[in-house]
Amino acid sequence: MEADFVILSLTPILIGCFAAMACALPGNFLMLRRQAMLGDAISHVVLPGIVVAFLFTGSASTWAMMLGAGAAAMVSVLLIEGIRRLAGVEPGAAMGVTFTTMFALGVLLLEGSGAGAVHLDVEHALYGNLESLIWLDATGWESLVDPVALAGLPPELGRMAAVFALIAIAGFIFWRPLELATFDEGFARALGLPVQAISLGLVAAAAMACVAAFTAVGSILTIAMLICPPAAARLLTDRLPLQVALSLGLALLSAVGGYVLAGYGPMWFGLPNSLSAAGMIATLSGLCLALAAAFGPHRRAA
Amino acid sequence: MSGPPRPDALSLRGLSVHYGVLPVLEQVEAHFAPGRMTAIIGPNGAGKSTLLKAALGLVPVAAGEVRFFGQPLAAARARIAYVPQRASVDWDFPVRAVDVVQMGLYRSLGLLGRRTAAHRAKAMECLERVGMQDYALRQIGALSGGQQQRVFLARALAQGAELFLLDEPFAGVDAATESAIVSVLQGLRDGGATVVAVHHDLSTVPAYFDRVLLLNRTAIAEGPVATAFTREALGRTYGGTLPMDPELAAQ
């Protein structure tokens, strides 16, 4: 049983945790900047980028996917700006049009290209593949100190942990400028802060988290993790450092709780099949938000 | 008195600003003497806020030269404090009054400098100077408009600047806040600092300020209140719609 847990559940849970936390960090600031939709857009446009990268390179390597997704994110930012200016519609509508179209394009490319037969498919894109990221080389907890077994860890784990670490370190270093530029842009600019570069850096961090998380956990979970934990945390506190810390805690709670509930919950109720882990994690994070909205001490007077 | 004269805290030469093709400011000449308190007045749309923003590089300048203490902006940033219009701030932001004031310490902290007890004490002292020490731990959006404005003035005080640029500091504040802010600003001036404020209420100009800049897309008049704040100059600034009791101009 213990060996089963290490082989089948440990790595998916860890990957889910890192993905959730990597998304929640930039999500805090996107939410405060009222740019939550931008995260939504990024996580959708990643799909066509990955498919095109796959078609060009014929491989599902990390770098090809990152580049493809990055390029798609840039194209979509240009499209959003272009639609907004040319058609004169509000930014939210421009984003909505762009990301649904790009995502749909991604689905068509996926189905029409044969890429689906090889490695990618629509289901995979929507709710990821968390359960398949198992650690076959493990034999039990002792494998954690066994170099041979460690070499067989799913590559997604290292990638997701590295992305989380990178975003966390950048967030720590640029905390003050980010806080200042988000709260009072005019004042930040008068101090001489490069507010444009700060916005761009934030979007880049969100895009990085989305791309890394997308390949592991799918777009539904990515969107949920960007916004739900920070939004719930905002309702629990009036201090930014605490909000970010709480959002990380809620992200962890959703990731661990969601995975366990999806994997073992049906069994407890005598049902035969397990549920989608990504779906359960996203549902749980939405539930956290609903609870915070109902009972949080810092709800805004509506 | 000896020594060379101090350079103007802020001087604008031929400053022009356009929004698109619309000229907002044209060839503005203005000089803000050090150690004085100047009101920028003029009708709505005269470009008063834009003047401050252009000087600070917050909106693009089409033409002209801006000098702070005889230097370009980049060399003088540490000597300037800016209090934006209240409306420009995100009130839902999870930040307390004392945290807002500590943002004024950004330049002395840098990226990774640790906040110490001394920084907190400094922030509390600045809150006390504006009478807001009892509200230090309130979320900024939970304060009244006047209280918020005082917190933002405290943040400017924490910057330890020599020139204070304030955009409508009295807009939407209560009478108690207005008199608190005025006395803090006059205290700054008496300590040698320069104060420039966009101001709306013509009736309080003589009581609050030393100097005025009358602005309507370009500088109409500039100088001490006694000589520049005249009916004739106001008439030229506001056109036919002078929003003022004529008796006040006689003061």
Side-chain angles (χ1 to χ4, degrees), chain B residues 93-127:
Chain B
F93 202 85
V95 68
R96 304 168 304 176
V98 67
D99 304 323
V100 172
V101 177
Q102 293 200 29
M103 288 179 187
L105 301 169
Y106 178 81
R107 286 199 149 266
S108 61
L109 277 164
L111 272 187
L112 289 170
R114 288 188 64 84
R115 279 180 187 156
T116 62
H119 290 117
R120 204 184 146 80
K122 170 87 184 161
M124 285 306 293
E125 177 212 315
C126 293
L127 278 174

Side-chain angles (χ1 to χ4, degrees), chain B residues 28-237:
Chain B
V28 175
E29 291 282 327
H31 303 272
F32 299 90
R36 297 298 165 84
M37 196 162 151
T38 307
I40 301 176
I41 55 181
N44 289 330
K48 304 184 293 291
S49 297
T50 304
L51 183 119
L52 292 189
K53 287 179 186 162
L56 288 163
L58 304 183
V59 295
V61 170
E65 190 190 56
V66 177
R67 283 282 178 277
F68 292 93
F69 305 102
Q71 296 172 304
L73 172 64
R77 278 199 203 275
R79 303 166 75 180
I80 308 163
Y82 171 52
V83 181
Q85 263 182 46
R86 281 200 318 115
S88 74
V89 171
D90 175 5
W91 299 112
D92 291 333
F93 202 85
V95 68
R96 304 168 304 176
V98 67
D99 304 323
V100 172
V101 177
Q102 293 200 29
M103 288 179 187
L105 301 169
Y106 178 81
R107 286 199 149 266
S108 61
L109 277 164
L111 272 187
L112 289 170
R114 288 188 64 84
R115 279 180 187 156
T116 62
H119 290 117
R120 204 184 146 80
K122 170 87 184 161
M124 285 306 293
E125 177 212 315
C126 293
L127 278 174
E128 240 174 271
R129 282 168 73 185
V130 297
M132 286 296 293
Q133 65 279 11
D134 296 337
Y135 299 87
L137 300 184
R138 293 275 190 93
Q139 195 257 337
I140 191 70
L143 300 175
S144 75
Q147 291 168 332
Q148 288 166 348
Q149 192 65 46
R150 287 199 245 176
V151 171
F152 282 90
L153 181 59
R155 179 175 70 179
L157 294 176
Q159 289 180 263
E162 297 161 55
L163 168 63
F164 293 80
L165 302 174
L166 303 96
D167 200 347
E168 305 246 15
F170 306 118
V173 308
D174 52 288
T177 293
E178 181 157 336
S179 71
I181 292 178
V182 167
S183 74
V184 168
L185 294 180
Q186 289 177 341
L188 288 169
R189 175 204 53 199
D190 296 343
T194 311
V195 176
V196 177
V198 171
H199 190 54
H200 245 104
D201 182 1
L202 297 182
S203 68
T204 54
V205 169
Y208 292 173
F209 294 92
D210 311 324
R211 296 172 64 88
V212 286
L213 167 65
L214 301 182
L215 188 76
N216 193 351
R217 217 189 303 165
T218 191
I220 308 285
E222 180 192 22
V225 170
T227 56
F229 191 64
T230 61
R231 271 179 91 166
E232 182 270 332
L234 284 167
R236 279 193 290 141
T237 308

Side-chain angles (χ1 to χ4, degrees), chain A residues 207-221:
Chain A
M208 202 166 75
C210 285
V211 172
F214 179 90
T215 53
V217 300
S219 67
I220 293 178
L221 186 53

Side-chain angles (χ1 to χ4, degrees), chain A:
Chain A
M1 180 69 199
E2 268 184 31
D4 275 1
F5 177 79
V6 175
I7 295 166
L8 297 176
S9 298
L10 182 64
T11 44
I13 288 178
L14 285 175
I15 292 168
C17 287
F18 283 124
M21 292 192 300
C23 289
L25 275 182
N28 275 286
F29 290 94
L30 285 181
M31 180 195 72
L32 289 172
R33 287 168 173 246
R34 293 168 175 64
Q35 286 183 322
M37 279 283 271
L38 198 62
D40 213 350
I42 292 169
S43 53
H44 275 88
V45 301
V46 162
L47 179 65
I50 286 177
V51 178
V52 169
F54 181 81
L55 291 178
F56 268 102
T57 64
S59 84
S61 77
T62 310
W63 283 110
M65 291 204 168
M66 287 271 188
L67 281 175
M74 263 192 292
V75 167
S76 67
V77 167
L78 292 177
L79 271 178
I80 290 169
E81 259 319 281
I83 293 173
R84 203 175 61 81
R85 295 215 177 143
L86 293 176
V89 298
E90 51 140 343
M95 277 185 216
V97 168
T98 304
F99 77 65
T100 44
T101 310
M102 294 277 284
F103 190 74
L105 183 71
V107 170
L108 289 181
L109 275 174
L110 200 53
E111 288 184 326
S113 66
V118 191
H119 185 84
L120 295 158
D121 56 66
V122 175
E123 259 179 52
H124 192 144
L126 274 179
Y127 43 83
N129 205 10
L130 203 50
E131 293 91 338
S132 73
L133 303 174
I134 53 179
W135 190 14
L136 281 175
D137 296 359
T139 53
W141 289 106
E142 67 278 5
S143 300
L144 283 176
V145 289
D146 175 4
V148 179
L150 286 175
L153 279 171
E156 284 85 353
L157 179 59
R159 190 194 308 163
M160 209 59 248
V163 165
F164 169 66
L166 204 64
I167 293 175
I169 290 168
F172 184 76
I173 293 176
F174 296 108
W175 178 272
R176 275 192 202 124
L178 193 53
E179 178 188 32
L180 247 177
T182 303
F183 173 59
D184 188 347
E185 190 185 304
F187 181 77
R189 290 176 65 193
L191 280 180
L193 290 178
V195 293
Q196 301 276 22
I198 293 169
S199 306
L200 219 71
L202 176 63
V203 172
M208 202 166 75
C210 285
V211 172
F214 179 90
T215 53
V217 300
S219 67
I220 293 178
L221 186 53
T222 305
I223 298 163
M225 285 299 129
L226 267 174
I227 302 308
C228 286
R234 174 65 190 92
L235 299 170
L236 300 177
T237 177
D238 264 340
R239 299 188 59 193
L240 183 58
L242 217 57
Q243 176 195 310
V244 173
L246 281 170
S247 76
L248 290 179
L250 288 170
L252 276 178
L253 184 78
S254 306
V256 177
Y259 191 86
V260 170
L261 271 181
Y264 301 97
M267 198 169 65
W268 297 337
F269 293 101
L271 299 171
N273 300 317
S274 62
L275 298 167
S276 151
M280 185 59 87
I281 294 172
T283 305
L284 206 59
S285 69
L287 203 64
C288 287
L289 176 57
L291 286 174
F295 304 110
H298 294 283
R299 285 166 291 144
R300 260 168 271 144

